[in-house]
């Protein structure tokens, strides 16, 4: 909370220690041109719109929001699998928004991605050893002790038996496959891992195994994470700082405590109260949102949330709120932020 | 829709132009000349030059091509060794060999091919798809196994083997069927059908085998779909579920493939035509290639390409009509 | 769920609309016999909701499909009893089953996009469901009924929506349409197989509320199948926890969520992250993976993953534990450990982790 001036201008920096951020995202925007309608009139999907955030070394940032709010698109831009329409991505002090060629390859060693579907992201015809060794070979790296040794170390790190080296992905369960994906991501000793719904496809008991593994790796290796998920409870468990997205925009950023105990944005509150909770039997005291998320092709005017917000007033549809600090410490984009603890 | 059509028509015309150019170039890349074919290996160079000149082959290749294109759209005048011939649009030139206008050759042979293909399609669409669907519904039963077995057998036979055997069995030795021949349907519908019966059966059976396997696989996949389960959970009878829900979805991709096949077949079913000595487009085309008969080669190639391209567009539009999720654009 | 106390029939309420006794469903396959459901017993009254929880492959969907008689009899072995409104449907003729399906028992599926036919309009699909069981109704009546139902499940402009195709609906709208279709014949029993798994939380909240509303109105019995303990604790009156095709614990939602007694239920509760409590403590996952249903472990099928498998000498490895009363009425558990041991272990090991906190 040191540089509130910056945040007023739209840069979401909460509880920032004085050190340099590892990753800094400013005004990140992605529009997909699409055709629709009888005459194929061109229009754009505003998938991500002016998103700002920072990730510090060793920090875990959670990106949450409903389906289609632009989480995956944001993640893919970070690892440069998608070209941003506008905005700037700074990694380790260097502008990487348009990095190409050899430099991009070098960058890919530092930023790795883990995908949701552990099966689709592993080549079924390659052995586990080959899959995990691939990033090393592609980058021409021979670790001390040889590739095989390193791969076996990695397998051990993620809780797989090093003897599984010669097996194929189909011989593994979903959770084990996700471990293989994690081992592969770790092979190049990245500084930042973008994890796109890494546990969403897994059963609860297996999900807990993988979440624990990620937590342990994060602690032991001091990794930074951008952790994308729609399950707010999982995010709470893994991330120190959370950014909430709605319709391509960032609506609130704050620490775990701020977001889960004292959120300022009405959407954050609605999202939290919609999560069915085992500790509360029966579905009472829920904030009910009406209707569906609007189309990102034609987002509502002013605050994009006003079509579903129970607090919406005239101002909301006329004027888009900017990200501003709240009394609770978080930063949110709302004309009439909430105060007080959630029940 | 309109946008789609315009886009596809533009693309189709470019394709046809490209094909015509490539065919033209290929023709001249062949280290042989129609003149040799026409006057034999031992022709004197002078004679060759003479023949080439009479065929217009002495002109620069670009001029020949532009003349050809001009002929199609506005007609042209052809000087054949002193004889001046008027060739009205659409002019595809004169056959090197028979000297008749290529359009006449096409007019004569296309109905033959169309007759063969139309009847065969009826056979393989009904028999093939019917068997395939039934086999899928009775998956694992004796009926299914026999149907698969038979289709594997037929699919691996060649047209000329099957055609030859049937010809021998049904025509030559028993006389059950008349010798294959072509009578225009307008002249004598019964004789038309009679003469086509054997090609229909041959081409129909072989394709039935392919279509049976295809539709069986498609139907088995569709029967596992969630919406089929939903239909059953509504309390619909098996018949309604299979027909209204499963079949409707399973048949769509098959129609697509059938449309594309139809386009390909209309350009000539060479082997079938040859086996039964029917002078369809395919046979004319094969002969034209052997003779290096440029005008006829061009005409048949373009016709075949036209059918394929046209059927592709039609199939895509049909798909959009059947499947509401498909948007053209 | 019940007050009966005899072991096998423990979980069956003789008054209930649906009574399932010792249901076994097996699929002979090339690899061997798949014991998808292996002796499940439960019951649901009208107006009540039974939640069935368990991980992927535990036999939840197979159970629900048997209640509709949807398994192919040629390729499935079903034993036991499924009594719907007093009629046992195990072994019933297909024609009779058809009269039951969609009328007395209706089903809502997980993925409404693939569960609706892509080529037919939503209204037509609902009208079809009405017409099968009301053959004398005219086409117009059926259509009107479909539009009414769409309106009832909260779809705005139902007249216009009825004329659209499923792909023109949003995920939540589609699931509403699916619910409209299931309820069009006022079924006494509705089986919802993961109805909200494919939906966002805010939409899930809408759908769950809608189901509760409709249940109050129509007094239907609901079976809610899910792997989300949160959903269960929100809508269920009773809960059945399944593992590898077997019931491991049944009881009221209170009993299962607040005073669980089976190590597998504990495992589930301790491995689900919570919105409350200390976020910095590690979750307590269940080690290992679910077993193959072709080759179940001998004894208690949970024993390779159970931390307490050694507690009872060799019994966990040699003897299949039966569902037995677990103290409070209606609470049954299938575990060899004694009541006292379970109480102690729960307090010591579990009560502080995940949502169990
Ligand atoms: N290649 C593309 N072309 C057009 N639109 C796209 C493309 N990729 C994504 N979109 C659209 O952009 C929006 C954001 O998509 P994105 O995948 O980032 O969402 P998400 O938050 O990851 O959602 P989910 O939780 O479903 O994964 C969506 O409306 C999506 O339909
Ligand atoms: N027709 C079938 N033939 C063979 N095995 C089957 C068949 N149907 C289901 N199974 C097997 O039965 C087991 C139980 O499946 P079921 O679909 O009931 O699981 P579930 O509890 O619904 O899981 P999920 O949460 O993934 O939906 C699975 O292992 C499945 O592979
Ligand atoms: S700006 Fe208005 S509409 Fe938007 S979240 Fe705040 S109160 Fe709701
Ligand atoms: S019977 Fe044994 S293995 Fe099974 S749950 Fe109880 S203690 Fe664990
Ligand atoms: Mg995504
Ligand atoms: Mg299931």
């Amino acid at each position: 909370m040191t540089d509130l001036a910056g945040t007023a201008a739209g840069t979401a920096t909460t509880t920032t220690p004085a050190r340099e951020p590892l990753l800094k995202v400013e005004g990140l925007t992605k529009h997909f041109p699409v055709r629709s309608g009888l005459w194929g009139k061109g229009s754009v999907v505003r998938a991500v719109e002016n998103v700002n955030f920072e990730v510090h070394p060793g920090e875990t940032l959670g990106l949450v929001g409903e389906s289609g709010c632009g989480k995956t698109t944001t993640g893919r831009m970070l690892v440069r699998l998608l070209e941003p329409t506008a905005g700037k991505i700074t990694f380790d002090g260097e502008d990487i928004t348009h990095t190409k060629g050899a430099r991009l390859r070098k960058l890919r060693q530092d930023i790795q991605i883990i995908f949701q579907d552990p099966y689709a992201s592993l080549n079924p015809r390659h052995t586990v050893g080959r899959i995990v060794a691939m990033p090393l070979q592609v980058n021409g790296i021979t670790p001390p002790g040889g590739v095989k040794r390193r791969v076996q170390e990695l397998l051990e790190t993620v809780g797989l038996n090093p003897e599984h080296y010669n097996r194929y992905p189909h011989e593994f369960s979903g959770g084990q496959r996700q471990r293989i994906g994690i081992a592969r991501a770790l092979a190049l000793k990245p500084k930042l891992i973008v994890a796109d719904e890494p546990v969403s496809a897994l059963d609860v008991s297996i999900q807990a195994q993988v979440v624990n593994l990620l937590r342990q790796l994060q602690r032991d290796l001091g990794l930074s994470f951008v952790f994308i998920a729609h399950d707010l409870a999982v995010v709470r468990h893994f991330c120190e700082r959370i950014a909430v997205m709605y319709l391509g925009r960032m609506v609130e950023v704050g620490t775990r405590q701020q977001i889960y105990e004292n959120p300022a944005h009405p959407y954050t509150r609605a999202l939290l109260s919609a999560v069915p909770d085992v500790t509360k039997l029966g579905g009472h005291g829920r904030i009910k949102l009406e209707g569906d998320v609007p189309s990102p092709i034609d987002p509502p005017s002013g605050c994009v949330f006003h079509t579903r917000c129970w607090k919406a007033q005239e101002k909301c549809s006329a004027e888009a709120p900017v990200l501003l600090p709240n009394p609770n410490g978080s930063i949110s984009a709302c004309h009439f932020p909430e105060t007080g603890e959630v029940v | 829709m309109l946008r789609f059509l315009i886009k596809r028509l533009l693309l189709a015309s470019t394709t046809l132009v490209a094909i015509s150019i490539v065919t033209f170039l290929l023709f001249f890349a062949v280290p042989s000349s129609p003149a040799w074919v026409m006057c034999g290996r031992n022709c004197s160079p002078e004679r060759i030059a003479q023949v080439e000149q009479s065929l217009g082959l002495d002109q620069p290749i670009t001029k020949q091509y532009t003349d050809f294109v001009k002929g199609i759209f506005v007609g042209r005048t052809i000087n054949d060794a002193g004889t001046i011939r008027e060739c009205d649009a659409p002019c595809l030139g004169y056959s090197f060999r028979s000297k008749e206008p290529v359009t006449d050759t096409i007019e004569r042979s296309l109905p033959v091919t169309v007759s063969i293909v139309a009847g065969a399609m009826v056979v393989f669409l009904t028999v093939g798809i019917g068997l395939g669907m039934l086999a899928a519904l009775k998956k694992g039963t004796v009926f299914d196994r026999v149907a698969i077995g038979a289709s594997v057998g037929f699919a691996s036979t060649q047209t000329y083997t099957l055609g030859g055997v049937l010809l021998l069995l049904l025509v030559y030795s028993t006389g059950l069927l008349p010798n294959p021949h072509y009578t225009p349907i307008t002249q004598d519908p019964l004789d038309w059908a009679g003469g086509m019966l054997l090609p229909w059966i041959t081409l129909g059976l072989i394709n039935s085998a392919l279509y049976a396997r295809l539709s069986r696989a498609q139907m088995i996949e569709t029967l596992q779909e969630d919406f089929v389960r939903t239909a059953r959970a509504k309390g619909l009878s098996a018949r309604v579920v299979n027909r209204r829900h499963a079949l409707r979805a399973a048949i769509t991709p098959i129609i697509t493939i059938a449309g594309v096949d139809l386009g390909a077949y209309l350009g000539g079913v060479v082997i079938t035509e040859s086996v039964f000595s029917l002078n369809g487009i395919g046979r004319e085309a094969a002969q034209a290639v052997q003779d290096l008969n440029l005008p006829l080669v061009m005409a048949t190639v373009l016709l075949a390409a036209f059918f394929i391209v046209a059927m592709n567009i039609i199939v895509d539009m049909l798909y959009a009509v059947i499947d509401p999720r498909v948007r053209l654009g | 769920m019940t007050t009966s106390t005899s072991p096998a029939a423990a979980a069956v309420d003789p008054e209930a609309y649906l009574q399932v006794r010792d249901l076994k469903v097996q699929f002979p396959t090339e690899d061997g016999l798949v014991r998808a459901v292996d002796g499940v017993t439960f019951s649901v009254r009208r107006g009540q909701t039974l939640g069935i929880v368990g991980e992927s492959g535990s036999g939840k969907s197979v159970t629900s499909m048997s209640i509709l008689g949807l398994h192919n009899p040629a390729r499935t072995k079903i034993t036991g009893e499924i009594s719907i409104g007093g009629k046992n449907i195990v072994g019933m003729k297909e024609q009779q089953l058809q009269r039951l399906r969609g009328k007395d028992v209706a089903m809502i599926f997980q993925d409404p996009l693939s569960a609706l036919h892509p080529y037919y309009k939503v209204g037509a699909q609902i009208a079809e469901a009405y017409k099968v069981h009301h053959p004398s109704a005219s086409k117009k009546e059926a259509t009107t009924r479909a539009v009414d139902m769409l309106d009832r499940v909260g779809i705005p402009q139902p007249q216009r929506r009825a004329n659209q195709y499923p792909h023109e609906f949003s995920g939540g709208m589609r699931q509403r349409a699916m619910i409209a279709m299931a309820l069009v014949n006022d079924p006494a029993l509705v089986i919802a197989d993961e109805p909200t798994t494919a939906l966002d939380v805010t939409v899930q909240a809408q759908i769950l509320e809608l189901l509760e509303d409709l249940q109050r109105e129509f007094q239907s019995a609901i079976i809610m199948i899910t792997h989300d303990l949160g959903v269960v604790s929100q809508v269920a009156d009773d809960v059945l926890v399944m593992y590898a095709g077997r019931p491991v614990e049944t009881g009221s939602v209170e009993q299962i969520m607040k005073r669980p007694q089976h190590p597998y239920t504990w495992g589930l509760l301790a491995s689900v992250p919570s919105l409350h409590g200390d976020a910095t403590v590690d979750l307590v996952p269940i080690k290992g993976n679910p077993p193959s249903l072709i080759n179940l472990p001998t004894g208690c099928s949970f024993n390779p993953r159970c931390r307490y498998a050694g507690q009872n000498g060799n019994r966990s490895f040699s003897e299949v534990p039966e569902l037995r009363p677990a103290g409070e009425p209606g609470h049954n558990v299938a575990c060899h450990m004694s009541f006292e041991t379970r109480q102690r272990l729960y307090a010591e090991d579990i009560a502080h982790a995940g949502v169990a906190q």
Side-chain angles (χ1 to χ4, degrees), chain A residues 247-270:
Chain A
L247 212 57
R249 286 134 181 102
M250 198 137 270
V251 296
E252 184 163 9
V253 192
T255 62
R256 177 181 327 175
Q257 199 180 2
Q258 289 158 3
I259 294 291
Y260 286 91
E261 282 162 32
N262 221 342
H265 200 281
Y267 179 63
T268 314
R269 292 209 166 215

Side-chain angles (χ1 to χ4, degrees), chain C residues 131-276:
Chain C
K131 258 200 94 98
V132 221
H133 297 291
H134 298 82
S136 57
S138 71
K139 209 171 159 198
K140 193 154 165 287
E141 278 163 12
T143 311
T144 315
R145 172 86 182 155
V147 173
D148 285 350
M149 283 312 293
L150 285 176
D151 191 29
R152 180 65 199 81
V153 298
I155 289 183
Q157 297 177 278
Q159 196 83 47
R160 188 175 71 87
R161 287 297 190 161
N163 263 318
Q164 290 184 332
Y165 292 96
H167 73 272
E168 297 173 88
F169 279 44
S170 70
M173 287 293 168
R174 263 180 230 134
Q175 196 56 291
R176 283 172 194 268
M178 203 59 222
I179 293 173
M181 191 157 93
L183 296 183
V184 75
N185 295 312
D186 296 333
L189 171 65
V190 177
I191 304 173
D193 191 351
E194 315 239 10
T196 57
T197 306
L199 306 175
D200 276 314
V201 273
T202 58
V203 182
Q204 165 171 291
Q206 295 170 0
I207 297 290
L208 293 181
E209 188 157 303
L210 173 66
L211 278 175
E212 281 179 299
D213 268 7
L214 295 170
Q215 181 176 40
R216 255 186 308 255
E217 185 178 328
F218 297 104
Q219 280 301 306
S220 30
I222 294 185
I223 296 181
M224 172 69 78
I225 295 177
T226 174
H227 61 262
D228 188 335
L229 292 171
V231 170
V232 167
S233 48
Q234 210 153 95
V235 300
D237 300 298
D238 298 306
V239 182
L240 163 68
V241 184
M242 285 184 72
Y243 184 77
R246 293 190 184 139
V248 295
E249 188 166 4
T250 71
S252 71
V253 68
E254 230 350 275
Q255 288 162 345
I256 302 288
M257 297 298 160
K258 304 282 192 211
R259 298 180 292 282
Q261 300 225 5
H262 195 279
Y264 177 64
T265 316
W266 298 347
L268 286 181
L269 286 167
S271 53
V272 180
S274 165
L275 284 182
H276 305 278

